[in-house]
Amino acid sequence: MPATHLAFAPGTSTDQFARSLVDDTALDGWRARPGVRATPLGTTITRGTTGSGVEVDFAAFGVEPGSFLDPAPGSLERPDTVVVSRRLADQGVRPGDTLTVDRLGITLTVTGTTARSSYGHVAAAYLPIATWQRIRFTAPGAPASGTSVDRLPGQYTAVALQADPGVDLAAADRDLRTRTLTVEAAYPAAPGYTGERVTMTSIQAFLYVIAPLVVGAFFAVWTVQRQPELALLRAMGASRRRLLAHTLGQAAVVVTAGALAGAALAGAVGLLVGSKVPFSLPATALAATMASVILTALAGAAVTLRRVATVDPMTMLGAGR
């Protein structure tokens, strides 16, 4: 979304996209602020059927035609038009089709497609803000043609902002009775975002716990199996420091090779499924994850160093007799 901030209603601290409603007064106030470009934004999840009978769920994003939120300038100039995500196009919604909103009977004409954008794992569709207001505020069962835009409340989910650096947004919030968040800070307001983040973070945390346990167990078994060789090296004059460095070096080689193989496998899987599921593997995140896994795995391997440091050369000499 090409915005820096979103101004929500002041009484909403969670689920703002579902609960927030700001009015024309707040929108006009933001537009009057120097250093700020403001446009209304409406969001709601609904369902529709194409003229050929294809049923789809879509996230209706109401935008002002020609504004900085308009994904396809010129495609939303006419009333009741819609620009659909490529994800909807993959489901059979094509330019030129009609899309009728269930329970409301509002018929939209598909005038274009845009990127594979989604909201709450639901494919996005952009339509004029006036059409969004009809979808959001028309009662189910009311005649689609009988609802005048003038009779609908002048309200929106939020006001999208492009604010210049240094603009006092807090003062504007106090004057206009809004609550402004950066776009990144508004992510938890999207449906399911917080729950999914907690799940993914828990999985990652357990992986960081499992890595040293598995690697530590592997090298513990390996060290036990190599006790005779280690004792022989000690009997031949190898220092404890050299044995420790040799063991850690071997562990580093094995762990690093495993991390590189895992990164390559992850990248290959991403290339295969990246167009079907949300997938992102930035180089910086990949490098940080690899470094973290290697360090935690080496920490697990370090637990086995006590056996290496305390190996008794007399064990091997006695075995030789």
Side-chain angles (χ1 to χ4, degrees):
M1 182 179 295
T4 59
H5 298 78
L6 294 172
F8 294 101
T12 55
S13 57
T14 59
D15 300 326
Q16 290 95 327
F17 286 112
R19 300 170 54 196
S20 171
L21 285 175
V22 295
D23 56 20
D24 286 326
T25 301
L27 175 62
D28 294 338
W30 276 110
R31 282 176 165 166
R33 288 277 165 171
V36 176
R37 290 161 297 283
T39 186
L41 170 67
T43 61
T44 189
I45 295 179
T46 186
R47 184 173 179 83
T49 306
T50 67
S52 57
V54 178
E55 297 183 357
V56 293
D57 295 316
F58 64 96
F61 274 69
V63 299
E64 194 172 49
S67 69
F68 59 82
L69 291 184
D70 189 343
S75 298
L76 299 177
E77 296 297 336
R78 289 179 292 130
D80 294 348
T81 52
V82 61
V83 173
V84 299
S85 161
R86 288 196 187 124
R87 291 183 58 186
L88 281 174
D90 293 342
Q91 298 176 43
V93 184
R94 302 284 193 271
D97 289 349
T98 58
L99 184 62
T100 303
V101 181
D102 288 357
R103 300 189 305 152
L104 301 178
I106 299 174
T107 301
L108 310 174
T109 302
V110 181
T111 56
T113 60
T114 184
R116 298 181 60 84
S117 52
S118 62
Y119 166 75
H121 297 299
V122 179
Y126 298 86
L127 35 83
I129 190 66
T131 303
W132 174 84
Q133 289 175 322
R134 292 176 62 202
I135 294 174
R136 174 66 173 81
F137 298 114
T138 299
S145 59
T147 304
S148 171
V149 174
D150 296 334
R151 296 171 56 189
L152 295 174
Q155 294 178 324
Y156 322 96
T157 299
V159 178
L161 309 174
Q162 285 184 338
D164 295 336
V167 175
D168 191 352
L169 299 178
D173 277 339
R174 289 192 296 270
D175 295 341
L176 303 176
R177 298 181 59 80
T178 57
R179 182 171 181 266
T180 301
L181 301 174
T182 64
V183 171
E184 291 78 8
Y187 288 166
Y193 178 85
T194 301
E196 292 185 12
R197 288 291 296 176
V198 170
T199 300
M200 293 302 298
T201 302
S202 300
I203 292 173
Q204 290 175 327
F206 278 112
L207 288 176
Y208 285 126
V209 172
I210 292 170
L213 292 177
V214 172
V215 175
F218 171 80
F219 281 102
V221 174
W222 195 15
T223 302
V224 170
Q225 292 176 338
R226 296 167 61 226
Q227 282 295 107
E229 289 84 355
L230 294 173
L232 177 60
L233 290 174
R234 286 287 291 130
M236 294 174 63
S239 64
R240 287 189 176 90
R241 180 176 297 179
R242 182 175 179 181
L243 291 182
L244 292 174
H246 181 67
T247 303
L248 273 181
Q250 287 182 326
V253 170
V254 172
V255 169
T256 302
L260 290 172
L265 180 61
V269 172
L271 291 176
L272 291 175
V273 304
S275 61
K276 302 299 181 182
V277 300
F279 183 87
S280 176
L281 193 63
T284 53
L286 178 60
T289 302
M290 288 176 60
S292 301
V293 169
I294 290 171
L295 290 176
T296 54
L298 288 178
V303 176
T304 66
L305 294 181
R306 182 176 177 277
R307 283 183 172 274
V308 177
T310 58
V311 66
D312 186 5
M314 296 303 294
T315 301
M316 190 63 195
L317 295 176
R321 291 197 300 270

